Amino acid sequence: MANYSKPKSNNDGGLIFGFIILGLGVLLLLRKIGIFYPSWLLSWPMILIVIGLVVSIKHQFKSFFGFIMLFFGVYFLLEREFYFDFGLENYLLPLGLIALGIYLITQKQKEKRIMENVQQQMHNKQFKSSPLDSSDSSSAEAQAGSDESKSNTSDGAKKNFQGISGISYNDRVNIDAIFSGVNKRVLSKKFEGGKLTAAFGGIDLDLTQADFSGTVYLQIDVIFGGTKILVPPHWDVRVEITNIAAGVEDKRMYSQTEVDPEKVLVLRGTCFFGGLEIRSF
């Protein structure tokens, strides 16, 4: 019988949230005993700033979610507590939507270029693997059959690559579910990780047909949304998610399967007022 060791987890979200609660309690205590400190330290914009700083530092200031939290936190803190008048009240929502739209368009265009490159590589590989012998008397018939086969395969590939079936052959995933829901199944045998962002939306990612060797990282940022990931039971899944007023649940069915040390999936990111669920078949 194979020995099974539970995958390691390095989830420090509860620790960080504990320090935040501790700091809040200390400030409230200082106020009760009459020790003066700036009132803006307990203002709601400071909550956004703290969240933005925690997320940004954890992800080396490469998190879009962390940047957004910092921006809004600093903006409202300067405006409401220090009376800075930026004159952006009437433009803040349109500008925010424009920035979000540019971000989504850029990501989708990048994903489209990657899919087109992979599709072209598959087409070239198929063309090279079906040479025709000009000396064969039935070469015309073989060529017609080959052309028809390539046409059908190409049409099927296009359908899959356009995301109609929810199937991805990309080695990396890049999914943004903002006020929407996304279901995706990855079939790559050289999976390299990627990035998931769910804001007021949900993502279902099926990795049961994917494969890789070594260690890959999957960046997950959830705010007022949910993400569910389905993985094979023999993967070593390590959770390093910072969860703030959120839930991260590992609901995998632990069978008598030995964990493969050459397949380590590291989940990193932030879950803020949302949920992350990990399952296996």
Side-chain angles (χ1 to χ4, degrees), residues 95-126:
L95 289 175
L97 293 177
I98 291 174
L100 179 60
I102 293 175
Y103 173 76
L104 293 177
I105 292 173
T106 303
Q107 293 299 319
K108 292 303 179 183
Q109 290 296 325
K110 181 179 178 181
E111 182 179 357
K112 181 179 179 180
R113 288 195 298 268
I114 293 175
M115 289 194 297
E116 289 176 349
N117 290 337
V118 175
Q119 181 182 358
Q120 185 63 38
Q121 292 175 4
M122 292 180 62
H123 183 272
N124 293 339
K125 183 178 180 181
Q126 182 184 10

Side-chain angles (χ1 to χ4, degrees), residues 11-18 58 239-248 269-274 276:
N11 184 5
D12 58 354
L15 181 64
I16 295 176
F17 190 57
K58 185 175 180 64
V239 182
E240 301 179 1
I241 300 292
T242 299
N243 54 309
I244 302 175
V248 178
T270 304
C271 191
F272 177 67
F273 284 100
L276 171 63

